[in-house]
């Protein structure tokens, strides 16, 4: 038995807190990271609200979505989002699933989410949208609650860093937990800015929004993402103050 390092667990706890304070998750939503001491498991909180997660709430889960916890704790019903994406994407080290509100309109309209500012180049120019009806049929509960649905979502995500989930939320992936958290914050920010830009463009009379070019998206992403420690340290300090004394 090789437990995950305490530094990794601390980062995962902080990630939960940051995502709440930055408005990406609320009572729901979750973040995972691959285990750093064994290659057959990842880490996720048991089924609690992200803002209240502590190190004692972190459980280990195998890539079939089975919770491996001697204390018998359970985890989120949608843990298959994580297990199936990890299976299909060896490059992905951390995953955020959220219902952050500004991105949802882009999952239910023909408006395409694309980079309007220099922090969101990772979105690319063809943000995939997962349609759960394609696997679960018209009558479903919208939840990615099985390996089959998780696999379908992973197929929709493909090689992208971000995917919308129609009428539900999104999934963000990265090669580190800090970057997965940052991208999920920047995706929500981009959605807000893009909605405002599209509204203003309509008022201006020509519906024209000047998006980043693919070269600008790639260029700014390359720079921003190498200094992710800076916003991470700030978000971490901010979350510590914001959640001081919070207990469940
Ligand atoms: Mn969900």
């Amino acid at each position: 038995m090789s437990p995950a390092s305490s530094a990794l667990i601390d980062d995962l706890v902080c990630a939960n807190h940051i995502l709440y304070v930055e408005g990406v998750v609320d009572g729901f939503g979750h973040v995972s990271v691959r285990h750093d001491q064994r290659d057959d498991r990842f880490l996720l909180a048991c089924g609690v609200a992200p803002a209240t997660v502590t190190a004692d709430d972190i459980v280990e889960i195998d890539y079939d979505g089975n919770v491996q916890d001697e204390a018998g704790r359970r985890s989120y019903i949608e843990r298959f989002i994580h297990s199936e994406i990890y299976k299909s994407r060896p490059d992905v080290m951390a995953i955020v699933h959220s219902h952050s509100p500004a991105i949802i309109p882009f999952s239910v309209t023909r408006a395409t989410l694309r980079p309007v500012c220099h922090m969101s180049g990772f979105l690319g120019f063809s943000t995939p949208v997962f349609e759960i009806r394609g696997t679960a049929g018209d009558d479903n509960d919208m939840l990615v609650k099985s390996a089959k649905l998780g696999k379908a979502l992973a197929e929709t995500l493909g090689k992208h860093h971000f995917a919308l989930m129609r009428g539900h939320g999104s999934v963000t992936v990265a090669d580190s937990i800090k970057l997965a958290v940052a991208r999920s914050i920047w995706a929500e920010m981009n959605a807000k800015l893009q909605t405002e830009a599209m509204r203003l463009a309509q008022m201006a009379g020509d519906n024209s929004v000047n998006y980043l070019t693919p070269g600008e998206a790639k260029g700014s992403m390359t720079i921003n993402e190498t200094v992710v420690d800076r916003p991470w340290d700030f978000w971490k300090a901010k979350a510590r103050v914001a959640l001081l004394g919070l207990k469940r």
Side-chain angles (χ1 to χ4, degrees):
M1 293 296 286
S2 307
S5 73
S6 57
L8 185 69
I9 289 175
D10 184 54
D11 278 351
L12 184 54
V13 171
C14 289
N16 275 275
H17 297 173
I18 289 168
L19 289 169
Y20 168 71
V21 171
E22 299 304 322
V24 175
V25 301
D26 50 18
F28 297 107
H30 22 91
V31 50
S32 71
V33 66
R34 283 191 198 264
H35 201 298
D36 61 350
Q37 302 299 320
R38 48 188 300 172
D39 60 11
D40 59 345
R41 293 181 182 183
F42 64 96
L43 308 175
L44 190 67
C46 60
V48 297
T52 69
V53 167
T54 68
D56 291 338
D57 297 320
I58 304 302
V59 297
E60 298 186 8
I61 303 180
D62 69 28
Y63 291 119
D64 290 322
N66 302 305
V67 182
Q68 304 291 328
D69 185 65
E70 286 167 12
R73 288 172 300 178
R74 300 162 66 132
S75 185
Y76 305 106
I77 195 169
E78 292 195 292
R79 59 191 180 277
F80 299 98
I81 291 172
H82 305 262
S83 56
E84 292 300 319
I85 290 175
Y86 285 129
K87 260 199 247 178
S88 73
R89 288 280 298 270
D91 60 311
V92 167
M93 299 306 285
I95 300 169
V96 174
H97 165 58
S98 92
H99 312 148
S100 69
I103 62 105
I104 293 187
F106 289 91
S107 76
V108 296
T109 62
R110 292 190 194 283
T112 304
L113 187 68
R114 49 189 289 197
V116 285
C117 79
H118 73 308
M119 301 311 291
S120 38
F122 67 90
L123 287 173
F125 294 85
S126 55
T127 304
V129 183
F130 175 60
E131 175 49 85
I132 196 167
R133 289 177 201 144
T135 308
D138 284 354
D139 298 317
N140 68 81
D141 57 17
M142 304 295 287
L143 296 172
V144 180
K145 61 182 182 182
S146 67
K148 186 181 174 191
L149 287 165
K151 188 164 186 279
L153 171 59
E155 282 167 5
T156 298
L157 175 69
K159 293 187 183 313
H160 290 81
H161 304 304
F162 182 87
L164 293 160
M165 299 162 72
R166 194 266 309 158
H168 181 162
S170 65
V171 64
T172 312
V173 304
D175 62 4
S176 76
I177 189 165
K178 293 178 183 180
L179 193 51
V181 166
R183 284 176 175 171
S184 68
I185 293 169
W186 295 332
E188 175 69 4
M189 182 183 74
N190 189 89
K192 284 181 188 149
L193 294 173
Q194 187 179 347
T195 301
E196 279 308 306
M198 291 168 84
R199 228 178 245 145
L200 269 178
Q202 203 173 26
M203 289 161 67
D206 68 354
N207 281 325
S208 167
V209 176
N210 195 349
Y211 293 98
L212 267 64
T213 64
E216 287 170 339
K218 193 163 182 277
S220 54
M221 174 180 161
T222 306
I223 295 291
N224 293 333
E225 298 195 344
T226 55
V227 290
V228 73
D229 277 344
R230 194 192 307 167
W232 171 269
D233 289 345
F234 162 66
W235 288 325
K236 185 174 164 180
K238 185 178 161 192
R240 195 181 299 128
V241 174
L243 300 178
L244 204 62
L246 181 77
K247 289 210 166 47
R248 69 166 191 276

